[in-house]
Coordinates of all heavy atoms in Angstrom, one line a residue:
M1 N -1.4 74.6 -94.8 CA -0.8 75.2 -93.7 C 0.6 75.6 -94.0 O 1.3 74.8 -94.7 CB -0.9 74.2 -92.5 CG -0.2 74.8 -91.2 SD -0.4 73.8 -89.8 CE -2.1 73.8 -89.5
D2 N 1.1 76.7 -93.5 CA 2.4 77.2 -93.7 C 3.4 76.2 -93.2 O 3.3 75.7 -92.0 CB 2.6 78.5 -93.1 CG 3.9 79.2 -93.4 OD1 4.9 78.5 -93.7 OD2 3.9 80.4 -93.3
K3 N 4.5 75.8 -93.9 CA 5.5 74.9 -93.4 C 6.2 75.4 -92.2 O 6.9 74.6 -91.5 CB 6.4 74.5 -94.5 CG 5.8 73.7 -95.7 CD 6.8 73.4 -96.8 CE 6.1 72.6 -97.9 NZ 7.0 72.2 -98.9
T4 N 6.2 76.7 -92.0 CA 6.9 77.2 -90.9 C 6.1 77.3 -89.6 O 6.6 77.7 -88.5 CB 7.4 78.7 -91.1 OG1 6.3 79.5 -91.3 CG2 8.4 78.8 -92.4
F5 N 4.8 76.8 -89.7 CA 4.0 76.7 -88.5 C 4.6 75.9 -87.4 O 5.1 74.8 -87.6 CB 2.6 76.2 -88.9 CG 1.7 75.9 -87.8 CD1 1.0 76.8 -87.1 CD2 1.7 74.6 -87.2 CE1 0.2 76.6 -86.0 CE2 0.8 74.3 -86.1 CZ 0.1 75.3 -85.5
S6 N 4.4 76.4 -86.2 CA 4.8 75.7 -85.0 C 3.9 76.1 -83.9 O 3.7 77.2 -83.6 CB 6.3 76.0 -84.6 OG 6.6 75.5 -83.3
I7 N 3.3 75.0 -83.3 CA 2.4 75.3 -82.1 C 3.2 75.9 -80.9 O 2.6 76.6 -80.1 CB 1.7 74.0 -81.7 CG1 0.4 74.4 -81.0 CG2 2.5 73.1 -81.0 CD1 -0.6 73.3 -81.0
A8 N 4.5 75.7 -80.9 CA 5.3 76.2 -79.8 C 5.7 77.7 -80.0 O 6.1 78.4 -79.1 CB 6.6 75.4 -79.6
D9 N 5.5 78.2 -81.3 CA 5.9 79.5 -81.6 C 4.7 80.4 -81.3 O 3.7 80.3 -81.9 CB 6.2 79.6 -83.1 CG 6.7 81.0 -83.5 OD1 6.5 82.0 -82.7 OD2 7.1 81.2 -84.7
P10 N 4.9 81.4 -80.4 CA 3.7 82.2 -80.0 C 3.2 83.1 -81.1 O 2.1 83.6 -81.1 CB 4.3 83.1 -78.9 CG 5.7 82.9 -78.9 CD 6.0 81.7 -79.6
N11 N 4.1 83.3 -82.2 CA 3.6 84.1 -83.3 C 2.7 83.4 -84.3 O 2.0 84.0 -85.0 CB 4.9 84.6 -84.1 CG 5.7 85.6 -83.2 OD1 5.1 86.5 -82.5 ND2 7.0 85.4 -83.2
T12 N 2.8 82.0 -84.3 CA 1.9 81.3 -85.1 C 1.0 80.3 -84.4 O 0.2 79.7 -85.1 CB 2.8 80.4 -86.1 OG1 3.6 79.5 -85.4 CG2 3.7 81.3 -87.0
A13 N 1.0 80.2 -83.1 CA 0.2 79.3 -82.3 C -1.3 79.7 -82.5 O -1.6 80.9 -82.5 CB 0.6 79.3 -80.9
P14 N -2.2 78.8 -82.5 CA -3.6 79.1 -82.7 C -4.1 79.7 -81.4 O -3.6 79.5 -80.3 CB -4.3 77.7 -83.0 CG -3.3 76.7 -82.4 CD -1.9 77.3 -82.5
Y15 N -5.2 80.4 -81.5 CA -5.8 81.0 -80.4 C -7.3 81.2 -80.7 O -7.8 81.1 -81.9 CB -5.2 82.4 -80.0 CG -5.4 83.4 -81.1 CD1 -6.4 84.3 -81.1 CD2 -4.4 83.6 -82.1 CE1 -6.5 85.2 -82.1 CE2 -4.5 84.5 -83.1 CZ -5.6 85.4 -83.1 OH -5.7 86.3 -84.1
I16 N -8.2 81.5 -79.7 CA -9.5 81.8 -79.9 C -9.8 83.3 -79.7 O -9.3 83.8 -78.7 CB -10.4 81.0 -78.9 CG1 -10.2 79.5 -79.1 CG2 -11.9 81.3 -79.0 CD1 -10.7 78.6 -78.0
N17 N -10.5 83.9 -80.6 CA -10.8 85.3 -80.5 C -12.2 85.4 -80.1 O -13.1 85.1 -80.8 CB -10.6 86.0 -81.8 CG -10.9 87.5 -81.7 OD1 -10.6 88.1 -80.7 ND2 -11.4 88.1 -82.7
D18 N -12.4 85.9 -78.8 CA -13.8 86.1 -78.2 C -14.1 87.6 -78.5 O -13.8 88.5 -77.7 CB -13.8 85.8 -76.8 CG -15.1 86.1 -76.1 OD1 -16.0 86.7 -76.7 OD2 -15.3 85.7 -74.9
A19 N -14.8 87.8 -79.7 CA -15.1 89.2 -80.1 C -16.2 89.8 -79.2 O -16.2 91.0 -79.0 CB -15.5 89.3 -81.5
T20 N -17.0 89.0 -78.6 CA -18.1 89.6 -77.7 C -17.5 90.2 -76.5 O -17.9 91.3 -76.1 CB -19.0 88.4 -77.3 OG1 -19.6 87.8 -78.4 CG2 -20.1 89.0 -76.4
N21 N -16.5 89.6 -75.9 CA -15.9 90.1 -74.7 C -14.5 90.7 -74.9 O -13.8 91.1 -74.0 CB -15.8 89.0 -73.6 CG -17.1 88.5 -73.2 OD1 -18.0 89.2 -72.8 ND2 -17.3 87.2 -73.4
N22 N -14.1 90.9 -76.2 CA -12.8 91.4 -76.6 C -11.7 90.7 -75.9 O -10.8 91.3 -75.3 CB -12.8 92.9 -76.3 CG -11.6 93.6 -77.1 OD1 -11.3 93.1 -78.2 ND2 -11.2 94.7 -76.6
L23 N -11.7 89.3 -76.0 CA -10.6 88.6 -75.3 C -9.9 87.7 -76.4 O -10.5 87.2 -77.3 CB -11.2 87.6 -74.3 CG -11.9 88.2 -73.1 CD1 -12.6 87.2 -72.2 CD2 -10.8 89.0 -72.2
K24 N -8.6 87.5 -76.1 CA -7.8 86.6 -76.9 C -7.4 85.5 -76.0 O -6.7 85.6 -75.0 CB -6.6 87.3 -77.5 CG -5.7 86.4 -78.3 CD -4.5 87.1 -78.9 CE -3.6 86.2 -79.7 NZ -2.4 86.9 -80.1
I25 N -8.0 84.3 -76.3 CA -7.7 83.1 -75.5 C -6.6 82.3 -76.1 O -6.8 81.7 -77.2 CB -9.0 82.3 -75.2 CG1 -10.1 83.2 -74.6 CG2 -8.7 81.0 -74.4 CD1 -11.4 82.6 -74.7
E26 N -5.4 82.3 -75.5 CA -4.3 81.6 -76.0 C -4.1 80.2 -75.4 O -4.8 79.8 -74.5 CB -3.1 82.4 -75.8 CG -3.2 83.8 -76.4 CD -1.9 84.7 -76.1 OE1 -1.8 85.1 -75.0 OE2 -1.2 84.9 -77.1
L27 N -3.2 79.4 -76.0 CA -2.9 78.0 -75.6 C -2.4 78.1 -74.1 O -1.8 79.1 -73.7 CB -1.8 77.4 -76.4 CG -2.2 77.1 -77.9 CD1 -0.9 76.6 -78.6 CD2 -3.3 76.1 -78.0
S28 N -2.8 77.0 -73.4 CA -2.4 76.9 -72.0 C -0.9 76.7 -71.9 O -0.3 76.2 -72.8 CB -3.1 75.8 -71.3 OG -4.5 75.9 -71.4
K29 N -0.3 77.1 -70.8 CA 1.1 76.9 -70.5 C 1.2 75.6 -69.7 O 0.2 75.1 -69.2 CB 1.7 78.0 -69.6 CG 1.5 79.4 -70.2 CD 2.4 79.6 -71.4 CE 2.3 81.0 -71.9 NZ 1.3 81.4 -72.9
R30 N 2.4 75.0 -69.6 CA 2.5 73.8 -68.9 C 2.0 73.9 -67.5 O 2.3 74.9 -66.8 CB 4.0 73.4 -68.9 CG 4.3 72.1 -68.2 CD 5.8 71.7 -68.2 NE 6.2 71.5 -69.6 CZ 6.5 70.3 -70.1 NH1 6.4 69.3 -69.3 NH2 6.8 70.2 -71.4
G31 N 1.2 72.9 -67.1 CA 0.6 72.9 -65.8 C -0.8 73.6 -65.7 O -1.5 73.5 -64.7
E32 N -1.2 74.3 -66.8 CA -2.5 74.9 -66.8 C -3.5 74.0 -67.4 O -3.2 73.2 -68.3 CB -2.4 76.2 -67.5 CG -1.6 77.3 -66.9 CD -1.5 78.6 -67.7 OE1 -2.0 78.6 -68.9 OE2 -1.1 79.6 -67.2
D33 N -4.8 74.2 -67.1 CA -5.9 73.4 -67.7 C -5.9 73.9 -69.1 O -5.8 75.1 -69.4 CB -7.2 73.6 -67.0 CG -7.3 73.0 -65.7 OD1 -6.5 72.0 -65.4 OD2 -8.0 73.4 -64.8
P34 N -6.2 73.0 -70.1 CA -6.4 73.4 -71.5 C -7.6 74.2 -71.7 O -8.7 73.9 -71.2 CB -6.3 72.1 -72.3 CG -6.8 71.1 -71.3 CD -6.4 71.5 -69.9
H35 N -7.6 75.2 -72.7 CA -8.7 75.9 -73.1 C -9.3 75.3 -74.4 O -10.4 75.5 -74.8 CB -8.4 77.4 -73.4 CG -7.8 78.1 -72.2 ND1 -8.4 78.2 -71.0 CD2 -6.5 78.6 -72.1 CE1 -7.6 78.8 -70.2 NE2 -6.5 79.1 -70.8
G36 N -8.5 74.5 -75.1 CA -8.8 73.8 -76.3 C -7.8 72.8 -76.6 O -6.7 72.8 -76.1
I37 N -8.2 71.9 -77.5 CA -7.3 70.8 -77.9 C -7.4 70.7 -79.4 O -8.5 70.6 -80.0 CB -7.7 69.5 -77.3 CG1 -7.8 69.6 -75.7 CG2 -6.8 68.3 -77.7 CD1 -8.4 68.4 -75.0
M38 N -6.2 70.6 -80.1 CA -6.1 70.4 -81.5 C -6.1 68.8 -81.8 O -5.1 68.3 -81.3 CB -5.0 71.1 -82.1 CG -5.2 72.6 -82.1 SD -3.8 73.5 -82.9 CE -4.0 73.0 -84.6
I39 N -7.1 68.3 -82.4 CA -7.1 66.8 -82.7 C -6.8 66.7 -84.2 O -7.4 67.3 -85.0 CB -8.5 66.2 -82.3 CG1 -8.9 66.6 -80.9 CG2 -8.5 64.7 -82.6 CD1 -8.2 65.9 -79.9
P40 N -5.8 65.8 -84.5 CA -5.4 65.6 -85.9 C -6.4 65.0 -86.9 O -6.1 64.9 -88.1 CB -4.1 64.8 -85.8 CG -4.3 64.0 -84.6 CD -5.1 64.9 -83.6
N41 N -7.5 64.5 -86.4 CA -8.4 63.8 -87.4 C -9.8 63.9 -86.7 O -10.1 64.7 -85.9 CB -8.0 62.4 -87.6 CG -8.0 61.5 -86.4 OD1 -8.0 62.0 -85.3 ND2 -7.8 60.2 -86.6
D42 N -10.7 63.0 -87.2 CA -12.1 63.0 -86.7 C -12.1 62.8 -85.2 O -11.3 62.0 -84.6 CB -12.9 61.9 -87.4 CG -13.2 62.2 -88.8 OD1 -13.1 63.4 -89.2 OD2 -13.4 61.3 -89.6
F43 N -13.1 63.4 -84.5 CA -13.1 63.3 -83.0 C -14.5 63.3 -82.6 O -15.4 64.0 -83.1 CB -12.5 64.6 -82.5 CG -12.5 64.7 -81.0 CD1 -11.7 63.8 -80.2 CD2 -13.2 65.7 -80.3 CE1 -11.8 63.9 -78.8 CE2 -13.3 65.7 -79.0 CZ -12.5 64.9 -78.2
K44 N -14.9 62.4 -81.7 CA -16.2 62.3 -81.2 C -16.3 63.1 -79.9 O -15.6 62.8 -78.9 CB -16.6 60.8 -80.9 CG -16.7 60.0 -82.2 CD -17.2 58.6 -82.0 CE -17.3 57.9 -83.3 NZ -17.8 56.5 -83.1
Y45 N -17.0 64.2 -79.9 CA -17.1 65.1 -78.8 C -17.9 64.4 -77.7 O -18.9 63.7 -77.8 CB -17.9 66.4 -79.2 CG -17.1 67.2 -80.2 CD1 -17.3 67.1 -81.5 CD2 -16.1 68.1 -79.7 CE1 -16.6 67.9 -82.4 CE2 -15.4 68.9 -80.6 CZ -15.6 68.8 -81.9 OH -14.9 69.5 -82.8
P46 N -17.4 64.7 -76.4 CA -18.1 64.2 -75.2 C -19.6 64.8 -75.2 O -19.8 65.9 -75.7 CB -17.3 64.7 -74.0 CG -16.0 64.9 -74.6 CD -16.2 65.3 -76.0
L47 N -20.5 64.0 -74.7 CA -21.8 64.5 -74.5 C -21.9 65.7 -73.6 O -20.9 65.9 -72.8 CB -22.8 63.4 -73.9 CG -22.9 62.2 -74.9 CD1 -23.7 61.1 -74.1 CD2 -23.7 62.5 -76.1
E48 N -22.9 66.5 -73.6 CA -23.0 67.6 -72.7 C -22.9 67.1 -71.2 O -23.4 66.1 -70.9 CB -24.4 68.3 -72.8 CG -24.6 69.0 -74.1 CD -23.7 70.3 -74.2 OE1 -23.5 70.9 -73.2 OE2 -23.3 70.6 -75.3
K49 N -22.2 67.9 -70.4 CA -22.0 67.6 -69.0 C -21.1 66.3 -68.8 O -21.0 65.9 -67.7 CB -23.2 67.5 -68.3 CG -24.0 68.9 -68.3 CD -25.2 68.9 -67.5 CE -25.9 70.2 -67.6 NZ -27.2 70.2 -66.8
V50 N -20.5 65.8 -69.8 CA -19.5 64.7 -69.7 C -18.2 65.2 -69.8 O -17.8 65.8 -70.8 CB -19.8 63.5 -70.7 CG1 -18.8 62.5 -70.6 CG2 -21.2 63.0 -70.6
C51 N -17.4 65.0 -68.7 CA -16.0 65.4 -68.7 C -15.2 64.6 -69.7 O -15.4 63.4 -69.9 CB -15.4 65.2 -67.3 SG -13.7 65.8 -67.2
I52 N -14.2 65.3 -70.4 CA -13.4 64.6 -71.4 C -12.7 63.3 -70.8 O -12.6 62.3 -71.5 CB -12.5 65.5 -72.2 CG1 -11.9 64.8 -73.4 CG2 -11.4 66.0 -71.2 CD1 -11.2 65.8 -74.3
K53 N -12.3 63.5 -69.6 CA -11.5 62.3 -69.0 C -12.5 61.1 -68.8 O -12.0 60.0 -68.6 CB -10.9 62.7 -67.7 CG -11.8 63.0 -66.5 CD -11.1 63.4 -65.3 CE -12.0 63.7 -64.1 NZ -12.9 62.6 -63.7
D54 N -13.8 61.3 -68.7 CA -14.7 60.2 -68.6 C -15.2 59.7 -70.0 O -15.5 58.5 -70.1 CB -16.0 60.7 -67.9 CG -15.7 61.1 -66.4 OD1 -14.8 60.5 -65.8 OD2 -16.3 62.0 -65.9
A55 N -15.1 60.5 -70.9 CA -15.4 60.1 -72.3 C -14.2 59.4 -73.0 O -14.3 58.6 -73.9 CB -15.8 61.3 -73.2
Y56 N -13.0 59.8 -72.5 CA -11.7 59.2 -73.0 C -10.9 58.8 -71.9 O -10.2 59.7 -71.3 CB -11.0 60.2 -74.0 CG -11.8 60.4 -75.3 CD1 -12.7 61.3 -75.4 CD2 -11.5 59.6 -76.4 CE1 -13.5 61.6 -76.6 CE2 -12.2 59.8 -77.6 CZ -13.1 60.8 -77.7 OH -13.8 60.9 -78.8
L57 N -10.9 57.5 -71.5 CA -10.2 57.1 -70.3 C -8.7 57.3 -70.2 O -8.1 57.4 -69.1 CB -10.6 55.7 -70.0 CG -12.1 55.4 -69.8 CD1 -12.3 53.9 -69.6 CD2 -12.7 56.2 -68.7
E58 N -8.1 57.5 -71.4 CA -6.6 57.7 -71.4 C -6.2 59.1 -71.6 O -5.1 59.5 -71.6 CB -6.0 56.9 -72.6 CG -6.2 55.3 -72.4 CD -5.5 54.5 -73.5 OE1 -4.7 55.1 -74.3 OE2 -5.8 53.4 -73.7
F59 N -7.2 60.0 -71.5 CA -6.9 61.4 -71.7 C -6.0 62.0 -70.6 O -5.0 62.7 -70.9 CB -8.2 62.3 -71.7 CG -8.0 63.7 -71.8 CD1 -7.7 64.3 -72.9 CD2 -8.1 64.6 -70.7 CE1 -7.5 65.7 -73.1 CE2 -7.9 65.9 -70.7 CZ -7.6 66.5 -72.0
N60 N -6.2 61.6 -69.4 CA -5.3 62.1 -68.3 C -3.9 61.6 -68.4 O -3.0 62.3 -68.1 CB -5.9 61.8 -66.9 CG -7.0 62.8 -66.5 OD1 -7.3 63.8 -67.2 ND2 -7.6 62.6 -65.4
N61 N -3.8 60.3 -68.9 CA -2.4 59.8 -69.1 C -1.6 60.7 -70.0 O -0.5 61.0 -69.8 CB -2.5 58.3 -69.6 CG -3.0 57.4 -68.6 OD1 -3.1 57.6 -67.4 ND2 -3.6 56.3 -69.1
W62 N -2.3 61.0 -71.2 CA -1.7 61.8 -72.2 C -1.4 63.2 -71.6 O -0.4 63.8 -71.9 CB -2.6 61.9 -73.4 CG -2.2 62.9 -74.4 CD1 -1.1 62.7 -75.3 CD2 -2.7 64.2 -74.7 NE1 -1.0 63.9 -76.1 CE2 -2.0 64.8 -75.7 CE3 -3.8 64.9 -74.1 CZ2 -2.3 66.0 -76.2 CZ3 -4.0 66.2 -74.6 CH2 -3.3 66.7 -75.6
G63 N -2.3 63.8 -70.8 CA -2.2 65.1 -70.2 C -1.0 65.2 -69.3 O -0.3 66.2 -69.2
Q64 N -0.7 64.1 -68.6 CA 0.4 64.1 -67.7 C 1.7 63.9 -68.4 O 2.8 64.4 -68.0 CB 0.3 63.0 -66.7 CG -0.9 63.3 -65.7 CD -1.1 62.1 -64.7 OE1 -0.6 61.1 -64.9 NE2 -2.1 62.4 -63.8
S65 N 1.7 63.2 -69.5 CA 2.9 63.0 -70.3 C 2.5 62.8 -71.8 O 2.0 61.8 -72.2 CB 3.7 61.7 -69.8 OG 4.8 61.5 -70.7
S66 N 2.9 63.8 -72.6 CA 2.4 63.8 -74.0 C 3.0 62.7 -74.8 O 2.7 62.5 -76.0 CB 2.7 65.2 -74.6 OG 4.1 65.4 -74.6
V67 N 3.9 61.9 -74.3 CA 4.5 60.7 -75.0 C 3.7 59.4 -74.7 O 4.1 58.4 -75.3 CB 6.0 60.6 -74.8 CG1 6.7 61.8 -75.3 CG2 6.3 60.4 -73.4
T68 N 2.8 59.5 -73.8 CA 2.0 58.2 -73.4 C 0.6 58.4 -73.9 O 0.1 59.6 -74.1 CB 2.0 58.0 -71.9 OG1 1.4 59.1 -71.3 CG2 3.4 57.7 -71.4
S69 N 0.0 57.3 -74.2 CA -1.5 57.4 -74.7 C -1.7 58.4 -75.8 O -2.7 59.1 -75.8 CB -2.4 57.7 -73.4 OG -2.2 56.7 -72.4
T70 N -0.8 58.4 -76.8 CA -0.9 59.4 -77.8 C -2.1 59.2 -78.8 O -2.4 60.0 -79.6 CB 0.4 59.4 -78.7 OG1 0.6 58.1 -79.2 CG2 1.6 59.9 -77.8
D71 N -2.8 58.0 -78.7 CA -3.9 57.8 -79.5 C -5.2 57.7 -78.6 O -6.2 57.2 -79.0 CB -3.8 56.5 -80.3 CG -3.7 55.3 -79.4 OD1 -3.5 55.4 -78.2 OD2 -3.8 54.1 -79.9
W72 N -5.2 58.5 -77.5 CA -6.4 58.5 -76.6 C -7.7 58.9 -77.3 O -8.7 58.4 -77.0 CB -6.1 59.4 -75.4 CG -5.9 60.9 -75.8 CD1 -4.8 61.5 -76.1 CD2 -7.0 61.8 -76.0 NE1 -5.0 62.8 -76.5 CE2 -6.3 63.1 -76.5 CE3 -8.3 61.8 -75.9 CZ2 -7.1 64.2 -76.7 CZ3 -9.1 63.0 -76.2 CH2 -8.4 64.1 -76.6
Y73 N -7.6 59.8 -78.3 CA -8.7 60.4 -79.0 C -9.4 59.4 -79.9 O -10.4 59.6 -80.4 CB -8.4 61.6 -79.7 CG -7.3 61.4 -80.7 CD1 -7.5 61.0 -82.0 CD2 -5.9 61.6 -80.3 CE1 -6.5 60.8 -82.9 CE2 -4.9 61.4 -81.2 CZ -5.2 61.0 -82.5 OH -4.1 60.8 -83.4
K74 N -8.7 58.2 -80.1 CA -9.3 57.2 -80.9 C -10.1 56.1 -80.1 O -10.6 55.1 -80.7 CB -8.2 56.4 -81.7 CG -7.4 57.3 -82.7 CD -6.4 56.6 -83.4 CE -5.6 57.4 -84.3 NZ -4.5 56.6 -84.9
K75 N -10.2 56.3 -78.8 CA -10.8 55.3 -77.9 C -11.9 55.9 -77.1 O -11.8 56.0 -75.8 CB -9.7 54.7 -77.0 CG -8.6 54.1 -77.8 CD -7.5 53.7 -76.9 CE -6.3 53.1 -77.7 NZ -5.1 52.9 -76.7
P76 N -13.0 56.4 -77.7 CA -14.1 57.0 -76.9 C -14.8 55.9 -76.1 O -14.9 54.7 -76.5 CB -15.0 57.6 -78.0 CG -14.7 56.7 -79.2 CD -13.3 56.4 -79.1
V77 N -15.4 56.2 -75.0 CA -16.3 55.4 -74.2 C -17.7 55.5 -74.8 O -18.3 56.5 -74.9 CB -16.3 55.8 -72.8 CG1 -17.2 54.9 -72.0 CG2 -14.9 55.7 -72.2
S78 N -18.2 54.3 -75.2 CA -19.6 54.3 -75.8 C -20.6 54.8 -74.8 O -20.5 54.5 -73.6 CB -19.9 52.8 -76.2 OG -21.2 52.7 -76.8
G79 N -21.5 55.7 -75.3 CA -22.5 56.3 -74.5 C -22.1 57.6 -73.7 O -22.8 58.2 -73.1
K80 N -20.8 57.9 -73.9 CA -20.2 59.1 -73.3 C -19.9 60.2 -74.4 O -19.5 61.3 -74.0 CB -19.0 58.9 -72.5 CG -19.2 57.9 -71.4 CD -19.7 58.6 -70.2 CE -19.8 57.6 -69.0 NZ -20.0 58.2 -67.7
V81 N -20.1 59.8 -75.7 CA -19.7 60.8 -76.8 C -20.9 60.8 -77.8 O -21.7 59.9 -77.8 CB -18.4 60.3 -77.5 CG1 -17.2 60.4 -76.6 CG2 -18.6 59.0 -78.1
Y82 N -20.9 61.9 -78.5 CA -21.9 62.0 -79.6 C -21.4 61.0 -80.7 O -20.3 61.0 -81.1 CB -21.9 63.4 -80.2 CG -22.6 64.4 -79.3 CD1 -21.8 65.3 -78.5 CD2 -24.0 64.4 -79.2 CE1 -22.4 66.2 -77.7 CE2 -24.6 65.3 -78.3 CZ -23.8 66.2 -77.6 OH -24.4 67.1 -76.7
E83 N -22.4 60.2 -81.2 CA -22.1 59.2 -82.2 C -22.5 59.7 -83.6 O -23.4 60.5 -83.7 CB -22.8 57.9 -81.9 CG -22.4 57.2 -80.7 CD -21.0 56.6 -80.7 OE1 -20.4 56.5 -81.8 OE2 -20.4 56.4 -79.6

């Protein structure tokens, strides 16, 4: 990764390109629901129809304040994620 990369810089921030519908889906702004989450290591995805907040009980804490519950993604609820 380029050393000048910054998730806060709109010129280098990641996005999803929906070629089918010709849409560019960018990162959410403060207060908006996330369209995607970048996880720094292995991640157990929630099962189909399981909300991430139910699969990871500390997710909402982190969502409200990014300095709390910073390791929420390391604490999946058994039976709520793909093993």
Side-chain angles (χ1 to χ4, degrees):
M1 180 175 292
D2 187 333
K3 291 181 182 183
T4 63
F5 169 81
S6 170
I7 200 161
D9 180 352
N11 295 318
T12 61
Y15 63 91
I16 298 169
N17 182 36
D18 179 348
T20 303
N21 297 305
N22 197 28
L23 295 172
K24 180 179 179 182
I25 302 167
E26 300 179 287
L27 293 175
S28 303
K29 307 288 187 269
R30 184 176 293 254
E32 294 179 347
D33 290 334
H35 304 299
I37 302 168
M38 292 180 70
I39 309 289
N41 61 347
D42 291 336
F43 178 69
K44 293 184 178 181
Y45 291 93
L47 296 172
E48 290 292 327
K49 299 184 181 182
V50 173
C51 183
I52 193 168
K53 69 179 181 61
D54 296 327
Y56 291 89
L57 300 179
E58 295 182 16
F59 177 77
N60 279 357
N61 295 336
W62 172 76
Q64 291 174 354
S65 175
S66 61
V67 297
T68 60
S69 301
T70 56
D71 63 347
W72 64 266
Y73 56 90
K74 295 179 181 177
K75 302 173 186 173
V77 175
S78 181
K80 300 274 184 174
V81 296
Y82 288 103
E83 299 290 342

